[in-house]
Amino acid sequence: MIAIQTEFGEMQINEQDILKFDKGLYGFESVTEYILLSEEENSPVLLLQPIRGQVPSFVVVDPYAVYPQYDPQMSKEDLHAFSEGDARDLRFLLIAALKDNPEESAVNLKSPVVIDSKTKKARQVILENQDYPIRYRFLSKKEA
């Protein structure tokens, strides 16, 4: 067990729950260990919290909750990074930018966080899908 400070207060987490990013998140490449937190079980909205350091945490959303037809196509390089696992074990999460005016809140459909649920290996990728926007206002269903 490891003690970490979160937005919910101090928590004890199991080492096997730590997500290991090989390249970090875009703009935060030096931070490679995170944990997913949620106030409710099976919530489509989660918090991607760094284990150490001053990097902010990120709100992430299940893509199918905001864009049911989501069909992510990863590059061969990104697929190779998860090659030891089964593609059915991959979980996709979208980084959200939440605004005071909910209509302005958006998710990044183009660059999801991908997690192998068995190995806890994680990576942020840029999808091959040409039509996915970086800022998709999910409440108004349009690009920002």
Side-chain angles (χ1 to χ4, degrees):
M1 295 289 271
I2 298 172
I4 64 168
Q5 189 62 37
T6 74
E7 294 189 24
F8 305 118
E10 187 172 305
M11 296 181 76
Q12 297 288 324
I13 60 166
N14 292 317
E15 281 195 57
Q16 63 264 26
D17 293 332
I18 296 174
L19 304 175
K20 308 265 188 202
F21 283 75
D22 59 347
K23 298 180 179 182
L25 294 171
Y26 300 136
F28 301 94
E29 288 83 359
S30 64
V31 181
T32 59
E33 294 184 331
Y34 290 83
I35 187 85
L36 280 174
L37 303 173
S38 175
E39 288 190 276
E40 301 175 10
E41 192 173 330
N42 298 322
S43 174
V45 179
L46 303 150
L47 191 65
L48 187 62
Q49 167 81 42
I51 298 297
R52 296 170 191 81
Q54 300 300 313
V55 174
S57 35
F58 298 90
V59 174
V60 291
V61 179
D62 179 332
Y64 305 101
V66 296
Y67 196 83
Q69 66 273 29
Y70 197 60
D71 183 26
Q73 303 297 314
M74 294 189 343
S75 70
K76 287 182 182 181
E77 176 190 343
D78 290 327
L79 282 170
H80 183 69
F82 295 102
S83 64
E84 70 267 5
D86 186 330
R88 292 176 292 196
D89 294 329
L90 297 182
R91 179 179 187 187
F92 291 82
L93 295 171
L94 307 175
I95 294 179
L98 303 179
K99 304 292 183 179
D100 289 336
N101 175 358
E103 291 282 323
E104 294 177 8
S105 295
V107 292
N108 183 340
L109 292 175
K110 185 71 173 173
S111 300
V113 172
V114 183
I115 301 165
D116 183 316
S117 59
K118 289 195 176 170
T119 66
K120 300 302 182 191
K121 185 184 262 190
R123 170 182 275 218
Q124 187 175 17
V125 303
I126 297 174
L127 296 177
E128 298 288 301
N129 306 65
Q130 297 296 323
D131 55 339
Y132 286 156
I134 293 172
R135 288 183 197 93
Y136 174 72
R137 291 184 179 161
F138 54 93
L139 293 176
S140 60
K141 310 247 188 272
K142 64 181 181 180
E143 286 185 47

